[in-house]
C-alpha cells in the first residue's frame, strides 16, 4: 500500500510532465503553423505587388516605344527642314549676288528705279500673302 501511494505521485507527476510537454508541442505546432501562414500570406502579397510592378513596367515600356517612334518621326522632319533651308540659302545667295552685280552696273538713277521696283514688288507680295 505504501508503495502504491508512493507510485501514485510519481506517475501523476509523469502524466503532468507528459501533458505539459504535449501542450508545449501543441503550442509550438500552432505557432509554427501561424508563422507559415504569415509567410504564405506575405508571399501572396509580394506576388500581387510584383504583378502590379510588372504591369507598370509594361506601361512604361509602351510609353517609351511611343516616344521613340515620335522622336524618329521628328528627326526626319527636322532633317527635311534642314535640307530645304540649305536649298533656300543657296538660292538666296545666288539672288543676292545677282542683285549686287546689277547694282554695280546701274547708275544712281538706275539704283533708285531698282529700289522703287523692289518696293512695289514687296507691297504686292505683302498684299497677296497677308491680306488674301
Amino acid at each position: 500500500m505504501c508503495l502504491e501511494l508512493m507510485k501514485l505521485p510519481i506517475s501523476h507527476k509523469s502524466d503532468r510532465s507528459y501533458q505539459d510537454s504535449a501542450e508545449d508541442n501543441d503550442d509550438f505546432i500552432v505557432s509554427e503553423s501561424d508563422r507559415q501562414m504569415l509567410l504564405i500570406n506575405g508571399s501572396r502579397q509580394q506576388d500581387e505587388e510584383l504583378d502590379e510592378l510588372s504591369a507598370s513596367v509594361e506601361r512604361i515600356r509602351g510609353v517609351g516605344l511611343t516616344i521613340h517612334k515620335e522622336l524618329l518621326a521628328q528627326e526626319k522632319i527636322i532633317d527635311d527642314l534642314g535640307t530645304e533651308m540649305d536649298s533656300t540659302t543657296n538660292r538666296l545667295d545666288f539672288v543676292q549676288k545677282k542683285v549686287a552685280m546689277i547694282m554695280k552696273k546701274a547708275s544712281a538713277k538706275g539704283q533708285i528705279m531698282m529700289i522703287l521696283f523692289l518696293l512695289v514688288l514687296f507691297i504686292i507680295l505683302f498684299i497677296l500673302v497677308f491680306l488674301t
Side-chain angles (χ1 to χ4, degrees):
M1 201 167 142
C2 190
L3 288 173
E4 287 180 24
L5 287 175
M6 290 172 105
K7 287 183 184 177
L8 181 65
I10 292 173
S11 68
H12 183 66
K13 281 186 179 178
S14 69
D15 285 342
R16 264 196 158 162
S17 168
Y18 178 74
Q19 286 176 348
D20 286 344
S21 86
E23 285 178 14
D24 288 343
N25 286 341
D26 288 344
D27 289 343
F28 175 75
I29 290 171
V30 167
S31 99
E32 283 299 308
S33 175
D34 289 344
R35 189 173 71 84
Q36 288 178 359
M37 289 302 289
L38 285 173
L39 288 173
I40 289 171
N41 288 336
S43 176
R44 286 183 188 151
Q45 184 179 5
Q46 284 179 346
D47 288 346
E48 290 171 1
E49 289 173 357
L50 285 174
D51 289 342
E52 290 175 13
L53 183 62
S54 176
S56 295
V57 167
E58 283 297 317
R59 283 193 302 271
I60 291 171
R61 180 183 174 269
V63 169
L65 289 174
T66 302
I67 290 171
H68 177 71
K69 288 177 185 175
E70 182 66 27
L71 286 174
L72 289 176
Q74 288 183 6
E75 180 184 19
K76 184 181 181 315
I77 291 170
I78 289 173
D79 287 344
D80 292 345
L81 180 64
T83 302
E84 288 178 21
M85 288 293 294
D86 290 341
S87 174
T88 304
T89 300
N90 290 337
R91 282 188 272 153
L92 183 60
D93 287 343
F94 176 74
V95 170
Q96 284 177 339
K97 287 177 185 177
K98 286 283 191 181
V99 169
M101 191 170 61
I102 291 172
M103 293 300 275
K104 278 184 181 179
K105 291 182 180 178
S107 62
K109 183 178 176 186
Q111 287 180 358
I112 290 175
M113 291 301 281
M114 183 65 73
I115 290 172
L116 288 175
F117 171 74
L118 290 174
L119 183 62
V120 169
L121 182 64
F122 175 74
I123 291 171
I124 291 171
L125 289 175
F126 181 79
I127 290 170
L128 289 175
V129 171
F130 291 109
L131 299 180
T132 57

